[in-house]
C-alpha cells in the first residue's frame, strides 16, 4: 500500500484469520524485494511507487 501521507510503502504479508500477520514499512529512499510467494524475483523502489512512473 502506497501511503503518501506518511511517505512510505506498507507491505503486508502472511494473511491468516482475516488479518495480515506481517507488516513491513519501507521509507522513501529505500527499496525492497517482493516476497517469494509472489512467484517472481523483483526489487521495487519506494520512491517510484510513491511518485508513479515518470517515463
Amino acid at each position: 500500500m502506497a501511503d503518501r501521507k506518511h511517505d512510505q510503502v506498507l507491505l503486508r504479508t502472511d494473511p491468516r484469520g482475516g488479518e495480515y500477520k506481517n507488516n513491513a514499512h519501507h521509507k522513501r529512499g529505500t527499496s525492497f524485494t517482493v516476497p517469494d510467494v509472489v512467484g517472481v524475483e523483483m526489487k521495487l523502489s519506494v520512491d517510484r511507487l510513491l511518485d508513479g512512473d515518470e517515463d
Side-chain angles (χ1 to χ4, degrees), residues 1 10-25 35 37-38:
M1 175 173 91
L10 172 60
L11 179 64
R12 294 179 165 192
T13 58
D14 196 14
R16 285 187 275 153
E19 61 184 59
Y20 290 95
K21 300 299 178 184
N22 297 319
N23 298 296
H25 300 265
V37 71
V38 174

Side-chain angles (χ1 to χ4, degrees), residues 5-7 9 14 18 21 25 29 31 33 36 42 49 52 55:
K5 180 179 178 182
H6 296 104
D7 223 18
V9 168
D14 196 14
K21 300 299 178 184
H25 300 265
S31 59
T33 303
D36 293 338
M42 184 184 328
L49 291 171
D55 293 341

Side-chain angles (χ1 to χ4, degrees), residues 2 4 9 28 32 44-53:
R4 289 179 180 89
V9 168
R28 183 176 286 283
F32 61 93
L44 297 174
S45 162
V46 172
D47 291 356
R48 187 153 201 177
L49 291 171
L50 291 173
D51 298 337
D53 189 4

